[in-house]
Amino acid sequence: MKPTIILNSLLLSFCLFQATSSLAQGSLEELAPEEYFDFWLGSWELTWEDSDGTLARGTNQIERILNQRVIREQFNAVSGAYEGYTGESYSVYQAASGTWKQTWVDNSGGYLDFTGEFDGDRRMFTRTALNPEGEQSHQRMVFYDITDDSFTWDWELSVDDGETWELRWRIQYERSDNGEDSPDSGS
């Protein structure tokens, strides 16, 4: 085989791989707004590094409820510094305003409200908060590196009106249901 044919074949294979990887991630350009968080549906095994460097684990079950219009999250930390911490969120696309909203509640009495934002193929829920001293900060959850079977979630904080962001918690998600509840499975 001639070198140019081999090179062209490799280039075509690479382009097809890139196109397939992009589709697996559910590029926002290819989705209706109400589908932007469908990648999250399913059962997940979670890992993160605690502040002392040890590996901690959790689970997260994400499903559509209420006529498939609401996404419910059920988070459980099963080891590490957060062991026993549980929470739930409810996310909904509001077609009239064209926005995503999320409410989070947890077993420590926490309540947080978020609005969806998007930057390229990164999906985010953001909020403005006041600390105990009355100073305003911005918080966000960022979902990125999304594939059919994994993604990364970051919790970030900004005290300079979003100019810079400090990473507070990074969780690696790995699908544990073999795609049974993934958006492409028909569930």
Side-chain angles (χ1 to χ4, degrees):
M1 212 178 236
K2 292 183 179 179
T4 56
I5 293 173
I6 293 172
L7 183 59
N8 287 339
S9 294
L10 288 172
L11 184 58
L12 178 60
S13 295
F14 176 75
C15 289
L16 289 173
F17 172 77
Q18 288 296 98
T20 303
S21 295
S22 172
L23 290 174
Q25 294 177 21
S27 175
L28 289 176
E29 296 170 357
E30 301 162 1
L31 300 172
E34 59 272 14
E35 299 172 328
Y36 285 177
F37 288 94
D38 280 0
F39 73 92
W40 197 20
L41 299 173
S43 296
W44 301 92
E45 296 294 326
L46 315 178
T47 56
W48 63 88
E49 191 174 295
D50 278 339
S51 60
D52 66 0
T54 60
L55 188 66
R57 297 188 179 280
T59 62
N60 212 346
Q61 176 68 39
I62 316 298
E63 63 184 335
R64 281 199 174 269
I65 61 170
L66 302 175
N67 295 331
Q68 304 299 306
R69 302 246 182 216
V70 176
I71 295 176
R72 177 174 60 189
E73 168 190 19
Q74 297 173 299
F75 173 90
N76 291 294
V78 297
S79 72
Y82 290 100
E83 184 175 354
Y85 178 69
T86 62
E88 292 191 13
S89 74
Y90 296 86
S91 304
V92 63
Y93 177 69
Q94 296 179 321
S97 64
T99 59
W100 273 91
K101 296 290 186 175
Q102 184 185 91
T103 297
W104 167 266
V105 293
D106 60 44
N107 64 341
S108 70
Y111 166 82
L112 305 172
D113 58 327
F114 296 90
T115 300
E117 292 185 13
F118 308 93
D119 180 14
D121 281 335
R122 293 183 336 148
R123 290 129 166 121
M124 296 176 273
F125 280 111
T126 64
R127 69 186 300 267
T128 301
L130 294 177
N131 68 17
E133 292 77 34
E135 301 164 331
Q136 182 174 289
S137 66
H138 297 280
Q139 301 166 338
R140 68 182 183 187
M141 297 178 281
V142 184
F143 303 81
Y144 62 100
D145 291 341
I146 300 166
T147 70
D148 286 341
D149 295 320
S150 66
F151 65 89
T152 303
W153 175 94
D154 286 351
W155 176 259
E156 299 177 338
L157 173 72
S158 175
V159 293
D160 58 9
D161 204 27
E163 291 294 316
T164 61
W165 292 90
E166 176 189 345
L167 177 65
R168 304 302 298 265
W169 194 9
R170 174 168 288 152
I171 299 177
Q172 301 298 324
Y173 276 68
E174 296 290 332
R175 189 173 296 282
S176 63
D177 59 13
N178 299 318
E180 293 168 10
D181 294 331
S182 70
D184 297 329
S185 69
S187 294

